[in-house]
Amino acid sequence: MPTTTKNQTRPERPPDAPLHREGRLRSADGKMATMIGYWDRNLRNRFGNLAYAQWFGFQPEAMPGMHLRDFIGEERYRINLPYVEAALKGEEQRFEVPAYTADGSLSWYGLVQYIPDIIAGQVQGVYIIVSDISAVKETEAAMRKNENLLRESQGAARIGSYINNISAGTFEATPVLEEIFGITKDYPHTNEGWVRFMHPDYRQAMADALLDSIRDRKPFDADYKIIRPSDGAERWMHGLGKISYDEQGHPVSLIGTVQDITDRKLTEQRIENLAYFDPLTGLPNRRLLQDRLQHALLSSVRQKHLGALLLVDLDNFKSLNDTFGHQPGDQLLQQVARRLRECVRDSDTVARLGGDEFMVVLEELGENMLHAATQAAVVAEKILRKLGERYELGEGAHNSTASVGITLFGEQSESVEAPMMRADLAMHRAKDAGRNTLCFFDGQMQTDMVFAAALEEDLRWSVQNRQFCVYYQAQVNGARQIVGVEALLRWEHPGRGWVSPAEFIPKAEKTGLIIPLGLWVLETACKQLVLWSQRPETAHLTMAVNVSARQFRDSDFVDRVLETLERTGAKAHLLKLELTESVLVANVDDVTLKMNVLKAAGVRFALDDFGTGYSSLSVLKRLPLDQLKIDQSFVRDILADPDDAAIARMVIALANSLGLAVIAEGVETEAQRHCLAALGCPTYQGYLFARPLPVDEFEALMVPS
Ligand code: C2E
Ligand code: MG
Ligand code: MG
């Protein structure tokens, strides 16, 4: 159907103006040639050009006088009549018609114009002009397609566009953009209106970014946040824009797009959270802690304000985890995290380093060391108290404590690792001091630590490489006959030479290396017993082996001793385990049970260094002991110091009353031996008789050549 696109009254034509130029059906550029015809008031033709005549199948000469109905045919005439009549009333008509070829496909698009010929207010006739507008139509269609494509793709990508008239301060926005911004058509599309929904944190940055792009003549590109007027939601936007300028170089307009990138930002944030926060507790992780600590160190030094770093380590967390599984363990960690946060100011950092280790950074504790330390201690005490309160876990109530190591920072610039290491050292001291306590770092710790770390490393290496040997020291009776030996461990350090057991045994205990090392001593001693049992002169010798508290506490200890005895074939009654009083400090029931099991297998026990600890008589009575060893510190001054002599006498009396044997160690002189004998001590060990010796030298003592 033809459509009327415009009805208007045309200005009158001067009567003698040229009407047309003759046209051909197709013009040179291949378009349909414009058709022109003139029809009078009675619709008789006065003139028609070649294109017009040929299109309807006539010769131009045949046209004049022809009625319009005859020229265009009955069917077309009926359709065109309303336009023709309107034109004859003086109203210009124009409509578009598609023209089809014989096979029915669209051939071209025509614009039909009926232009009334008016002279002196009277309509004389009608010009009918048909022109080819196929190209215009095609362009229009292509544009419409592009527009749709743009609209659809922008909608899908949540991209909206706008034009900002800079001098007027007004905006035009696409519907998608209005939807993204959460504004209606009626919302003021002005600078003020739009600034109103920009997030306050980004307003200045946006203005700066715009000024920057004007100054540097570069595209505008910025991420910013808005508060959507429709629902008050905070959304992330990515804005791109291009500014155009007039001839004087003044900015005229800004044309740009805005994309809603909230989802992407949230994903980015989640990824960032994973990288910087501990998923279990939501606290900053080690990485973020290091960042924050770095920052705190710099600003402390700059502002001359001290800060404190606290390392909080839960006591016995591993046993909770091992006993009840991970879930209660996780719950405990979450509750610990919450309590730690409650102990500090919002501005302080609480982080989880991993496992059951947490760190707290306290800042701005003032310039004075003592004052800063006091404040840190107050917080640490609060932490100990809070973490010591009961926990409600899925499995029920649980009690836990923590150890806290504290170090101050801000006195001088240093790396992040330095205070972390100091706090760690102090925390371990707190553990050694019995847990559930706090400990400050001091300088001596550092020296000890460096030395200990090196020694520990060497010790580890030497345990693996069997760099140890066992010496044997004789134990003699009143007739100076050797009745037994004590096995004493010796370490020849590749660089330092002989290292005293007094130095390396505590390290081995601390690191747990004492367990493999102690087993090796036991095994060596047992094998030696077996070798000696094969010779009459040595078959009677007892073998004393030192066992440290850490070894004895190990849950495998009893089994390993029994297994070693069985495997080597050593006689259990010749083996005497030397325990120190520190073993007895622990759970006495457990100690008694273990001793009884070994005792039942024939193993004997001596209490080493007796008199230096605090064993109570009641405990001594319960334990299946065989022998007390008078500590060498009492023997040393037994002649000079009446107190030492009194203690020695007391130990001997105690042994007698409990039915235990007694031996004095560290006997160096005949006078000491004489004194001990007079007090009733029948057995001795010391340099007076023999030093600890390698096995062959010891054996040489047994069989004097
Ligand atoms: P301890 O068990 O009390 O060993 C006696 C210590 O006194 C030995 O020191 C020995 O060499 C020394 N000694 C013996 N007679 C005399 C003397 O007449 N005068 C003086 N001044 N000292 C004498 P050592 O060998 O340096 O061992 C020190 C400590 O290291 C031992 O004290 C023991 O507690 C521990 N230890 C040694 N070997 C082992 C071992 O295999 N396992 C464990 N757990 N500890 C061991
Ligand atoms: Mg000993
Ligand atoms: Mg001793």
Side-chain angles (χ1 to χ4, degrees), residues 3-122:
T3 50
T4 306
T5 55
K6 212 181 210 174
N7 292 328
Q8 67 181 48
T9 309
R10 271 181 76 90
E12 288 179 13
R13 173 182 69 83
D16 55 346
L19 269 179
H20 65 86
R21 196 178 306 155
E22 207 174 73
R24 291 188 306 274
L25 201 52
R26 280 203 183 273
S27 59
D29 61 3
K31 284 199 298 192
M32 291 302 291
T34 303
M35 301 173 213
I36 304 171
Y38 183 82
W39 305 82
D40 68 14
R41 294 176 51 81
N42 300 318
L43 298 183
R44 295 277 166 197
N45 183 274
R46 290 281 192 78
F47 161 81
N49 73 350
L50 180 68
Y52 196 21
Q54 282 184 352
W55 181 258
F56 287 97
F58 297 97
Q59 286 303 316
E61 313 80 77
M63 281 185 74
M66 217 173 180
H67 194 273
L68 182 63
R69 189 200 295 119
D70 301 329
F71 184 68
I72 62 177
E74 190 64 42
E75 172 72 8
R76 261 202 203 89
Y77 182 70
R78 207 168 41 78
I79 295 168
N80 280 273
L81 197 58
Y83 302 98
V84 176
E85 285 175 344
L88 287 176
K89 285 186 189 130
E91 289 165 19
E92 182 181 328
Q93 302 293 306
R94 109 206 320 244
F95 53 85
E96 290 167 13
V97 283
Y100 298 94
T101 56
D103 65 1
S105 64
L106 189 66
S107 144
W108 59 287
Y109 243 100
L111 171 68
V112 183
Q113 288 168 282
Y114 285 31
I115 301 168
D117 181 27
I118 304 168
I119 296 173
Q122 291 292 311

Side-chain angles (χ1 to χ4, degrees), residues 326-352:
H326 285 288
Q327 210 176 344
D330 285 356
Q331 284 176 347
L332 180 74
L333 292 172
Q334 286 168 333
Q335 292 183 30
V336 165
R338 216 167 301 140
R339 291 183 192 185
L340 282 174
R341 278 253 49 114
E342 285 166 15
C343 291
V344 300
R345 295 172 297 189
D346 283 348
S347 54
D348 296 324
T349 296
V350 177
R352 181 174 172 222

Side-chain angles (χ1 to χ4, degrees), residues 123-151:
V123 177
Q124 308 298 318
V126 180
Y127 293 107
I128 295 184
I129 303 168
V130 183
S131 38
D132 183 354
I133 55 163
S134 304
V136 178
K137 280 275 154 194
E138 267 165 36
T139 316
E140 265 179 24
M143 272 170 65
R144 236 187 337 267
K145 207 170 134 199
N146 279 342
E147 248 170 43
N148 280 341
L149 192 69
L150 192 67
R151 196 170 31 245

Side-chain angles (χ1 to χ4, degrees), residues 486 546 578 580 608-610 629-632 665 685:
E486 178 176 7
N546 292 284
E578 290 196 1
T580 56
D608 205 353
D609 307 340
F610 189 69
K629 282 188 100 172
I630 303 172
D631 187 65
Q632 51 182 283
E665 65 180 353
Q685 180 183 339

